[in-house]
Amino acid sequence: MIANRFYPSTQRCAACGNIKKDDEKITLSGNKKHGTKHNEYVCYNKKCPNYNKVVDRDMNAMMNLTFLIDHPRYNKAL
């Protein structure tokens, strides 16, 4: 499986599917709005089981890419 180069693997929560947009996004510098580091993923969806928990960004991205194996219809840019 080859993921679409614009698939938001580092911006999508592997637990709930919420995708970060605008000033919520994680950049190589982290997220200035929330003060997180570049290697941290925090979901701000209050309904998510990982709400407000710091998760390793690369681990979160790996889970999202693994998800594509069973759900290839999501392999697209948003």
Side-chain angles (χ1 to χ4, degrees), residues 62-78:
M62 183 272 308
M63 290 187 285
N64 282 321
L65 293 170
T66 303
F67 172 82
L68 292 179
I69 295 168
D70 293 328
H71 306 281
R73 69 184 176 275
Y74 291 103
N75 190 9
K76 59 187 175 188
L78 298 175

Side-chain angles (χ1 to χ4, degrees), residues 26-44:
I26 306 166
T27 67
L28 294 176
S29 301
N31 180 288
K32 290 183 181 181
K33 177 180 178 181
H34 297 288
T36 55
K37 298 176 185 168
H38 75 282
N39 63 337
E40 298 175 332
Y41 182 91
V42 179
C43 184
Y44 299 108

Side-chain angles (χ1 to χ4, degrees), residues 12-61:
R12 181 181 183 273
C13 178
C16 73
N18 185 53
I19 298 172
K20 293 181 178 285
K21 293 184 174 32
D22 305 320
D23 64 349
E24 297 288 327
K25 284 187 171 185
I26 306 166
T27 67
L28 294 176
S29 301
N31 180 288
K32 290 183 181 181
K33 177 180 178 181
H34 297 288
T36 55
K37 298 176 185 168
H38 75 282
N39 63 337
E40 298 175 332
Y41 182 91
V42 179
C43 184
Y44 299 108
N45 174 6
K46 292 182 180 182
K47 296 179 182 178
C48 180
N50 283 344
Y51 171 68
N52 226 19
K53 293 180 185 174
V54 176
V55 179
D56 181 82
R57 185 184 82 157
D58 292 337
M59 182 65 71
N60 184 69

